[in-house]
Amino acid sequence: QVQLVESGGGKVQAGGSLRLSCVASDSIFRLLNMDWYRQAPGKQRVMVASITRDGTTDYFDSVKGRVSISRDNAKNTVYLQMNSLKPEDTAQYYCNSRNSANELRFNWGQGTQVTVSS
């Protein structure tokens, strides 16, 4: 079972930036599409960005233009660069991957907390 370890979260003021990282424990990572998700208190976990193994990206509407997903296959790492952060971006952030049936491949990691103050 591949393990995912997220990091890079923190507390920032509105308008600030953070870069989140997610490291996978297996080099199979390079063959996988990868996603970033977030879960705000009391809300469901939702996808915010995705990247195919070839580097094609897609974004949730609320983060488009402020967030950039990228990957470094040599480091088994996917990144989420978050700019112009808003209080509503406050959430626990996770990465994962989906199979062709749109099912999650891996157990959730511990996530990384992003807190944005106004």
Side-chain angles (χ1 to χ4, degrees):
Q1 173 72 274
V2 174
Q3 294 191 349
L4 303 169
V5 179
E6 300 91 349
S7 63
K11 296 180 180 180
V12 297
Q13 291 189 327
S17 298
L18 286 171
R19 189 176 82 152
L20 309 183
S21 300
C22 166
V23 180
S25 62
D26 194 294
S27 59
I28 194 175
F29 167 89
R30 62 183 177 86
L31 301 177
L32 304 178
N33 301 335
M34 294 296 298
D35 310 313
W36 277 99
Y37 299 78
R38 69 185 182 189
Q39 186 169 21
K43 295 188 177 181
Q44 288 188 329
R45 193 161 359 207
V46 296
M47 187 188 306
V48 294
S50 63
I51 186 167
T52 68
R53 63 182 186 179
D54 299 322
T56 301
T57 60
D58 196 13
Y59 300 95
F60 189 57
D61 285 349
S62 67
V63 301
K64 279 183 179 178
R66 302 188 296 117
V67 164
S68 177
I69 187 172
S70 61
R71 65 191 298 159
D72 185 336
N73 289 339
K75 296 182 178 179
N76 293 346
T77 301
V78 59
Y79 302 100
L80 190 70
Q81 177 68 44
M82 306 177 67
N83 302 319
S84 302
L85 283 162
K86 303 177 181 180
E88 51 263 44
D89 294 318
T90 295
Q92 191 81 358
Y93 284 73
Y94 304 85
C95 65
N96 213 312
S97 179
R98 289 167 290 138
N99 60 21
S100 58
N102 213 35
E103 299 165 330
L104 291 172
R105 293 181 188 274
F106 308 124
N107 294 330
W108 293 108
Q110 84 286 353
T112 187
Q113 177 68 36
V114 171
T115 302
V116 185
S117 59
S118 58

